PDB file of all heavy atoms in Angstrom:
ATOM      1  N   TYR A 101     217.629  16.993   9.031  1.00 98.00           N
ATOM      2  CA  TYR A 101     219.019  16.542   9.092  1.00 98.00           C
ATOM      3  C   TYR A 101     219.231  15.753  10.368  1.00 98.00           C
ATOM      4  O   TYR A 101     219.038  16.279  11.469  1.00 98.00           O
ATOM      5  CB  TYR A 101     219.967  17.725   9.040  1.00 98.00           C
ATOM      6  CG  TYR A 101     221.387  17.376   9.398  1.00 98.00           C
ATOM      7  CD1 TYR A 101     222.155  16.537   8.590  1.00 98.00           C
ATOM      8  CD2 TYR A 101     221.950  17.828  10.595  1.00 98.00           C
ATOM      9  CE1 TYR A 101     223.474  16.228   8.933  1.00 98.00           C
ATOM     10  CE2 TYR A 101     223.250  17.510  10.943  1.00 98.00           C
ATOM     11  CZ  TYR A 101     223.989  16.702  10.119  1.00 98.00           C
ATOM     12  OH  TYR A 101     225.279  16.366  10.467  1.00 98.00           O
ATOM     13  N   VAL A 102     219.594  14.459  10.243  1.00 98.00           N
ATOM     14  CA  VAL A 102     219.887  13.640  11.420  1.00 98.00           C
ATOM     15  C   VAL A 102     221.347  13.865  11.767  1.00 98.00           C
ATOM     16  O   VAL A 102     222.241  13.582  10.979  1.00 98.00           O
ATOM     17  CB  VAL A 102     219.612  12.128  11.147  1.00 98.00           C
ATOM     18  CG1 VAL A 102     220.140  11.287  12.276  1.00 98.00           C
ATOM     19  CG2 VAL A 102     218.153  11.887  10.936  1.00 98.00           C
ATOM     20  N   GLU A 103     221.545  14.400  12.961  1.00 97.00           N
ATOM     21  CA  GLU A 103     222.926  14.700  13.389  1.00 97.00           C
ATOM     22  C   GLU A 103     223.546  13.474  14.107  1.00 97.00           C
ATOM     23  O   GLU A 103     224.637  13.088  13.817  1.00 97.00           O
ATOM     24  CB  GLU A 103     222.951  15.895  14.325  1.00 97.00           C
ATOM     25  CG  GLU A 103     224.358  16.301  14.688  1.00 97.00           C
ATOM     26  CD  GLU A 103     224.444  17.562  15.518  1.00 97.00           C
ATOM     27  OE1 GLU A 103     223.402  17.986  16.100  1.00 97.00           O
ATOM     28  OE2 GLU A 103     225.509  18.140  15.584  1.00 97.00           O
ATOM     29  N   LEU A 133     218.256  13.887   5.510  1.00 98.00           N
ATOM     30  CA  LEU A 133     219.666  13.957   5.128  1.00 98.00           C
ATOM     31  C   LEU A 133     220.479  13.556   6.322  1.00 98.00           C
ATOM     32  O   LEU A 133     220.174  13.914   7.472  1.00 98.00           O
ATOM     33  CB  LEU A 133     220.016  15.405   4.734  1.00 98.00           C
ATOM     34  CG  LEU A 133     221.491  15.725   4.562  1.00 98.00           C
ATOM     35  CD1 LEU A 133     222.048  15.123   3.281  1.00 98.00           C
ATOM     36  CD2 LEU A 133     221.710  17.248   4.548  1.00 98.00           C
ATOM     37  N   LEU A 134     221.537  12.763   6.085  1.00 98.00           N
ATOM     38  CA  LEU A 134     222.477  12.421   7.137  1.00 98.00           C
ATOM     39  C   LEU A 134     223.883  12.207   6.601  1.00 98.00           C
ATOM     40  O   LEU A 134     224.052  12.071   5.398  1.00 98.00           O
ATOM     41  CB  LEU A 134     222.012  11.175   7.964  1.00 98.00           C
ATOM     42  CG  LEU A 134     221.727   9.871   7.262  1.00 98.00           C
ATOM     43  CD1 LEU A 134     223.004   9.115   6.960  1.00 98.00           C
ATOM     44  CD2 LEU A 134     220.847   9.007   8.134  1.00 98.00           C
ATOM     45  N   GLU A 135     224.822  12.243   7.480  1.00 97.00           N
ATOM     46  CA  GLU A 135     226.235  12.004   7.135  1.00 97.00           C
ATOM     47  C   GLU A 135     226.593  10.603   7.654  1.00 97.00           C
ATOM     48  O   GLU A 135     226.074  10.170   8.671  1.00 97.00           O
ATOM     49  CB  GLU A 135     227.160  12.987   7.857  1.00 97.00           C
ATOM     50  CG  GLU A 135     226.861  14.410   7.623  1.00 97.00           C
ATOM     51  CD  GLU A 135     227.507  15.333   8.658  1.00 97.00           C
ATOM     52  OE1 GLU A 135     227.724  14.898   9.793  1.00 97.00           O
ATOM     53  OE2 GLU A 135     227.734  16.490   8.318  1.00 97.00           O
ATOM     54  N   VAL A 136     227.481   9.944   6.903  1.00 97.00           N
ATOM     55  CA  VAL A 136     227.946   8.623   7.322  1.00 97.00           C
ATOM     56  C   VAL A 136     229.408   8.518   6.938  1.00 97.00           C
ATOM     57  O   VAL A 136     229.865   9.110   5.951  1.00 97.00           O
ATOM     58  CB  VAL A 136     227.102   7.510   6.650  1.00 97.00           C
ATOM     59  CG1 VAL A 136     227.258   7.466   5.152  1.00 97.00           C
ATOM     60  CG2 VAL A 136     227.351   6.154   7.272  1.00 97.00           C
ATOM     61  N   GLU A 137     230.151   7.753   7.775  1.00 95.00           N
ATOM     62  CA  GLU A 137     231.576   7.584   7.502  1.00 95.00           C
ATOM     63  C   GLU A 137     231.729   6.852   6.163  1.00 95.00           C
ATOM     64  O   GLU A 137     230.914   6.044   5.779  1.00 95.00           O
ATOM     65  CB  GLU A 137     232.240   6.732   8.591  1.00 95.00           C
ATOM     66  CG  GLU A 137     232.302   7.403   9.945  1.00 95.00           C
ATOM     67  CD  GLU A 137     231.087   7.101  10.812  1.00 95.00           C
ATOM     68  OE1 GLU A 137     230.086   6.535  10.286  1.00 95.00           O
ATOM     69  OE2 GLU A 137     231.119   7.468  12.003  1.00 95.00           O
ATOM     70  N   ARG A 147     227.114  -0.026   8.500  1.00 95.00           N
ATOM     71  CA  ARG A 147     226.248   1.150   8.785  1.00 95.00           C
ATOM     72  C   ARG A 147     225.588   1.639   7.520  1.00 95.00           C
ATOM     73  O   ARG A 147     224.387   1.930   7.494  1.00 95.00           O
ATOM     74  CB  ARG A 147     227.069   2.256   9.461  1.00 95.00           C
ATOM     75  CG  ARG A 147     226.235   3.394   9.969  1.00 95.00           C
ATOM     76  CD  ARG A 147     227.061   4.369  10.810  1.00 95.00           C
ATOM     77  NE  ARG A 147     227.554   3.749  12.043  1.00 95.00           N
ATOM     78  CZ  ARG A 147     228.807   3.603  12.367  1.00 95.00           C
ATOM     79  NH1 ARG A 147     229.765   4.044  11.599  1.00 95.00           N
ATOM     80  NH2 ARG A 147     229.139   3.011  13.510  1.00 95.00           N
ATOM     81  N   TYR A 151     221.493   1.806   6.561  1.00 98.00           N
ATOM     82  CA  TYR A 151     220.744   2.971   6.045  1.00 98.00           C
ATOM     83  C   TYR A 151     220.103   2.627   4.697  1.00 98.00           C
ATOM     84  O   TYR A 151     218.971   2.987   4.418  1.00 98.00           O
ATOM     85  CB  TYR A 151     221.642   4.205   5.960  1.00 98.00           C
ATOM     86  CG  TYR A 151     221.893   4.792   7.338  1.00 98.00           C
ATOM     87  CD1 TYR A 151     223.185   4.931   7.791  1.00 98.00           C
ATOM     88  CD2 TYR A 151     220.847   5.251   8.127  1.00 98.00           C
ATOM     89  CE1 TYR A 151     223.438   5.495   9.041  1.00 98.00           C
ATOM     90  CE2 TYR A 151     221.061   5.787   9.371  1.00 98.00           C
ATOM     91  CZ  TYR A 151     222.371   5.913   9.834  1.00 98.00           C
ATOM     92  OH  TYR A 151     222.584   6.452  11.073  1.00 98.00           O
ATOM     93  N   TYR A 164     232.036  15.656   0.154  1.00 94.00           N
ATOM     94  CA  TYR A 164     231.566  16.282   1.406  1.00 94.00           C
ATOM     95  C   TYR A 164     232.569  16.002   2.527  1.00 94.00           C
ATOM     96  O   TYR A 164     233.030  14.854   2.655  1.00 94.00           O
ATOM     97  CB  TYR A 164     230.192  15.735   1.781  1.00 94.00           C
ATOM     98  CG  TYR A 164     229.699  16.329   3.084  1.00 94.00           C
ATOM     99  CD1 TYR A 164     229.274  17.642   3.150  1.00 94.00           C
ATOM    100  CD2 TYR A 164     229.752  15.566   4.243  1.00 94.00           C
ATOM    101  CE1 TYR A 164     228.853  18.207   4.352  1.00 94.00           C
ATOM    102  CE2 TYR A 164     229.311  16.136   5.447  1.00 94.00           C
ATOM    103  CZ  TYR A 164     228.895  17.446   5.484  1.00 94.00           C
ATOM    104  OH  TYR A 164     228.481  18.009   6.659  1.00 94.00           O
ATOM    105  N   VAL A 165     232.848  17.020   3.269  1.00 94.00           N
ATOM    106  CA  VAL A 165     233.683  16.904   4.459  1.00 94.00           C
ATOM    107  C   VAL A 165     232.914  17.534   5.595  1.00 94.00           C
ATOM    108  O   VAL A 165     232.499  18.689   5.518  1.00 94.00           O
ATOM    109  CB  VAL A 165     235.049  17.605   4.248  1.00 94.00           C
ATOM    110  CG1 VAL A 165     235.869  17.541   5.516  1.00 94.00           C
ATOM    111  CG2 VAL A 165     235.827  16.986   3.092  1.00 94.00           C
ATOM    112  N   GLN A 166     232.718  16.751   6.666  1.00 95.00           N
ATOM    113  CA  GLN A 166     232.044  17.292   7.842  1.00 95.00           C
ATOM    114  C   GLN A 166     232.938  18.364   8.469  1.00 95.00           C
ATOM    115  O   GLN A 166     234.100  18.087   8.825  1.00 95.00           O
ATOM    116  CB  GLN A 166     231.801  16.180   8.853  1.00 95.00           C
ATOM    117  CG  GLN A 166     231.122  16.696  10.146  1.00 95.00           C
ATOM    118  CD  GLN A 166     231.179  15.669  11.246  1.00 95.00           C
ATOM    119  OE1 GLN A 166     232.230  15.167  11.597  1.00 95.00           O
ATOM    120  NE2 GLN A 166     230.021  15.370  11.773  1.00 95.00           N
ATOM    121  N   PRO A 167     232.431  19.585   8.599  1.00 95.00           N
ATOM    122  CA  PRO A 167     233.270  20.628   9.216  1.00 95.00           C
ATOM    123  C   PRO A 167     233.535  20.266  10.695  1.00 95.00           C
ATOM    124  O   PRO A 167     232.797  19.528  11.314  1.00 95.00           O
ATOM    125  CB  PRO A 167     232.378  21.875   9.161  1.00 95.00           C
ATOM    126  CG  PRO A 167     231.388  21.595   8.068  1.00 95.00           C
ATOM    127  CD  PRO A 167     231.180  20.107   8.131  1.00 95.00           C
ATOM    128  N   TYR A 169     233.610  20.481  14.669  1.00 93.00           N
ATOM    129  CA  TYR A 169     232.652  20.993  15.645  1.00 93.00           C
ATOM    130  C   TYR A 169     233.241  22.167  16.469  1.00 93.00           C
ATOM    131  O   TYR A 169     232.491  22.944  17.013  1.00 93.00           O
ATOM    132  CB  TYR A 169     232.194  19.897  16.614  1.00 93.00           C
ATOM    133  CG  TYR A 169     231.002  19.136  16.080  1.00 93.00           C
ATOM    134  CD1 TYR A 169     231.191  17.893  15.494  1.00 93.00           C
ATOM    135  CD2 TYR A 169     229.736  19.628  16.168  1.00 93.00           C
ATOM    136  CE1 TYR A 169     230.097  17.168  15.008  1.00 93.00           C
ATOM    137  CE2 TYR A 169     228.647  18.906  15.701  1.00 93.00           C
ATOM    138  CZ  TYR A 169     228.814  17.688  15.122  1.00 93.00           C
ATOM    139  OH  TYR A 169     227.765  16.985  14.625  1.00 93.00           O
ATOM    140  N   MET A 178     233.254  12.537   4.803  1.00 96.00           N
ATOM    141  CA  MET A 178     232.040  11.733   4.978  1.00 96.00           C
ATOM    142  C   MET A 178     231.303  11.575   3.648  1.00 96.00           C
ATOM    143  O   MET A 178     231.664  12.229   2.672  1.00 96.00           O
ATOM    144  CB  MET A 178     231.103  12.432   5.976  1.00 96.00           C
ATOM    145  CG  MET A 178     231.616  12.600   7.367  1.00 96.00           C
ATOM    146  SD  MET A 178     231.251  11.112   8.330  1.00 96.00           S
ATOM    147  CE  MET A 178     230.976  11.820   9.900  1.00 96.00           C
ATOM    148  N   LEU A 179     230.272  10.740   3.694  1.00 97.00           N
ATOM    149  CA  LEU A 179     229.312  10.650   2.589  1.00 97.00           C
ATOM    150  C   LEU A 179     228.008  11.224   3.083  1.00 97.00           C
ATOM    151  O   LEU A 179     227.694  11.166   4.271  1.00 97.00           O
ATOM    152  CB  LEU A 179     229.087   9.184   2.208  1.00 97.00           C
ATOM    153  CG  LEU A 179     230.273   8.436   1.624  1.00 97.00           C
ATOM    154  CD1 LEU A 179     229.902   6.938   1.445  1.00 97.00           C
ATOM    155  CD2 LEU A 179     230.751   9.031   0.316  1.00 97.00           C
ATOM    156  N   LEU A 180     227.228  11.765   2.167  1.00 97.00           N
ATOM    157  CA  LEU A 180     225.880  12.200   2.470  1.00 97.00           C
ATOM    158  C   LEU A 180     224.925  11.139   1.965  1.00 97.00           C
ATOM    159  O   LEU A 180     225.156  10.555   0.864  1.00 97.00           O
ATOM    160  CB  LEU A 180     225.563  13.554   1.804  1.00 97.00           C
ATOM    161  CG  LEU A 180     226.355  14.727   2.304  1.00 97.00           C
ATOM    162  CD1 LEU A 180     226.053  15.985   1.489  1.00 97.00           C
ATOM    163  CD2 LEU A 180     226.095  14.977   3.788  1.00 97.00           C
ATOM    164  N   MET A 181     223.879  10.884   2.741  1.00 97.00           N
ATOM    165  CA  MET A 181     222.852   9.924   2.336  1.00 97.00           C
ATOM    166  C   MET A 181     221.500  10.624   2.537  1.00 97.00           C
ATOM    167  O   MET A 181     221.359  11.428   3.448  1.00 97.00           O
ATOM    168  CB  MET A 181     222.913   8.645   3.162  1.00 97.00           C
ATOM    169  CG  MET A 181     224.194   7.839   2.952  1.00 97.00           C
ATOM    170  SD  MET A 181     224.193   6.245   3.813  1.00 97.00           S
ATOM    171  CE  MET A 181     223.166   5.255   2.647  1.00 97.00           C
ATOM    172  N   MET A 197     222.124  24.152   6.776  1.00 95.00           N
ATOM    173  CA  MET A 197     222.545  23.118   7.717  1.00 95.00           C
ATOM    174  C   MET A 197     223.973  23.398   8.191  1.00 95.00           C
ATOM    175  O   MET A 197     224.238  23.338   9.389  1.00 95.00           O
ATOM    176  CB  MET A 197     222.469  21.741   7.062  1.00 95.00           C
ATOM    177  CG  MET A 197     222.817  20.601   8.009  1.00 95.00           C
ATOM    178  SD  MET A 197     224.582  20.153   8.063  1.00 95.00           S
ATOM    179  CE  MET A 197     224.806  19.287   6.544  1.00 95.00           C
ATOM    180  N   LEU A 198     224.855  23.695   7.302  1.00 94.00           N
ATOM    181  CA  LEU A 198     226.274  23.944   7.701  1.00 94.00           C
ATOM    182  C   LEU A 198     226.357  25.147   8.622  1.00 94.00           C
ATOM    183  O   LEU A 198     227.141  25.153   9.580  1.00 94.00           O
ATOM    184  CB  LEU A 198     227.133  24.164   6.458  1.00 94.00           C
ATOM    185  CG  LEU A 198     227.315  22.927   5.562  1.00 94.00           C
ATOM    186  CD1 LEU A 198     227.961  23.302   4.229  1.00 94.00           C
ATOM    187  CD2 LEU A 198     228.097  21.860   6.281  1.00 94.00           C
ATOM    188  N   TYR A 202     227.202  23.588  12.195  1.00 94.00           N
ATOM    189  CA  TYR A 202     228.650  23.691  12.332  1.00 94.00           C
ATOM    190  C   TYR A 202     229.167  25.130  12.410  1.00 94.00           C
ATOM    191  O   TYR A 202     230.382  25.337  12.482  1.00 94.00           O
ATOM    192  CB  TYR A 202     229.340  22.949  11.195  1.00 94.00           C
ATOM    193  CG  TYR A 202     229.018  21.484  11.149  1.00 94.00           C
ATOM    194  CD1 TYR A 202     228.129  21.000  10.191  1.00 94.00           C
ATOM    195  CD2 TYR A 202     229.542  20.621  12.067  1.00 94.00           C
ATOM    196  CE1 TYR A 202     227.827  19.627  10.147  1.00 94.00           C
ATOM    197  CE2 TYR A 202     229.238  19.255  12.021  1.00 94.00           C
ATOM    198  CZ  TYR A 202     228.358  18.791  11.077  1.00 94.00           C
ATOM    199  OH  TYR A 202     228.056  17.451  11.065  1.00 94.00           O
TER     200      TYR A 202
END
Side-chain angles (χ1 to χ4, degrees):
Y101 167 68
V102 171
E103 185 176 18
L133 169 73
L134 57 78
E135 303 162 333
V136 66
E137 293 91 349
R147 189 171 294 120
Y151 285 121
Y164 178 73
V165 176
Q166 178 194 54
Y169 274 100
M178 296 274 214
L179 296 174
L180 294 175
M181 296 186 79
M197 182 272 285
L198 293 170
Y202 300 105

